[in-house]
Amino acid sequence: MMGPAHSLSGAAAWLGAGAVAAALDRPMPWTVLVVGALICAGAALAPDLDHRSATISRAFGPFSKILCGVVDKLSSAVFNATRGKAERKRSGGHRTLTHTWIWAVMVGAGFSAAAVTGGRWAVLVILFIHMVLAVEGLLWRMARVSSDVLVWLLGAATAWILAEVLDQPGNGSNWLFGAEGQEYMWLGLPIVLGAIVHTIGDSITISGCPMLWPLPIARKRWYPLGTPRFMRFRAGTWVETRVLMPAFGVIGIGSTLIALGVVG
């Protein structure tokens, strides 16, 4: 799928998680619901770090372009080093390492650890990164015609405001993990969910996605899982823009109403 659909599906996924949490009698504070949805929307772009022309490659100027090139080469190297007998060598790493469950868990765990050990500035950096990505994904038309500096300023201001709100008692800094020193540990959860939702989204397109690497399937370590062939579509076509994206919006709105207790 394309960047806007990935981001919208990420936001909808976290809002859906909020509805599930409410049903399990562990409701999210509204701040956690909002912040998590924005983080998840941004994180749903991150697996495309292995693609030099993806939305995320433009998000942070030359830095993100260089990072995408490095991740592309790393992903290609990992693929070639671990490929099965039925798989040919690749020169590019798109839809390999960063599109696996292992990557999703590792990145989420890394951000959680940073949030817990790095203090307020680490939280601000995590929020800033994902707010910028959320703007690039959810508001992509405006982001493309705006300067990068304006998008970064918006991301920084949003990160600062949200951190201030979350720090207030009862607003969610210690949601889910209440022990002292575990504040903000939950920030890794929307990051993991965003990465997983991205891979699921790509699995319903033509190429499929090797989500279960390194589990061998049909003599392949990087088996491209997906829906039956007749149900797949090409990224950016009407199925994505006219069917899936409106569906994600409806799911997100319905889930929000349930998560906030408006409907029961």
Side-chain angles (χ1 to χ4, degrees), residues 98-170:
T98 60
H99 288 66
T100 65
W101 69 272
I102 290 180
W103 175 272
V105 172
M106 288 179 59
V107 171
F111 275 113
S112 283
V116 171
T117 61
R120 179 177 176 79
W121 284 106
V123 171
L124 285 171
V125 170
I126 293 169
L127 290 175
F128 168 71
I129 291 171
H130 291 90
M131 293 309 106
V132 170
L133 293 179
V135 171
E136 291 284 352
L138 297 175
L139 303 177
W140 65 280
R141 290 185 186 276
M142 288 181 281
R144 284 194 175 182
V145 298
S146 301
S147 71
D148 289 341
V149 174
L150 287 178
V151 174
W152 299 338
L153 288 174
L154 178 59
T158 304
W160 187 273
I161 292 169
L162 292 177
E164 289 288 331
V165 174
L166 285 170
D167 278 340
Q168 300 302 313

Side-chain angles (χ1 to χ4, degrees), residues 28-107:
M28 298 179 184
W30 70 268
T31 46
V32 173
L33 193 67
V34 172
V35 173
L38 291 172
I39 292 175
C40 201
L45 294 180
D48 276 344
L49 275 170
D50 61 5
H51 191 0
R52 301 187 191 196
S53 61
T55 301
I56 192 172
S57 71
R58 301 184 295 270
F60 299 98
F63 175 78
S64 53
K65 287 186 179 296
I66 293 172
L67 181 60
C68 284
V70 171
V71 174
D72 178 27
K73 292 185 180 299
L74 171 65
S75 300
S76 177
V78 172
F79 176 91
N80 290 328
T82 63
R83 64 192 176 92
K85 294 181 179 179
E87 294 168 309
R88 298 179 179 178
K89 283 190 175 182
R90 293 181 55 161
S91 58
H94 185 43
R95 290 200 182 185
T96 54
L97 179 61
T98 60
H99 288 66
T100 65
W101 69 272
I102 290 180
W103 175 272
V105 172
M106 288 179 59
V107 171

Side-chain angles (χ1 to χ4, degrees), residues 12 15 246-259 263:
L15 296 173
F248 295 149
V250 171
I251 291 170
I253 292 171
S255 297
T256 300
L257 297 177
I258 296 172
V263 297

Side-chain angles (χ1 to χ4, degrees), residues 1 6 9 13 47 95 99-100 192-205 208-211 225-227 233 244 248:
M1 291 196 299
H6 279 309
S9 67
R95 290 200 182 185
H99 288 66
T100 65
V192 173
L193 183 59
I196 291 174
V197 168
H198 179 110
T199 61
I200 293 173
D202 279 351
S203 72
I204 61 177
T205 59
C209 206
M211 295 181 287
L225 290 172
T227 51
F233 60 91
L244 292 181
F248 295 149

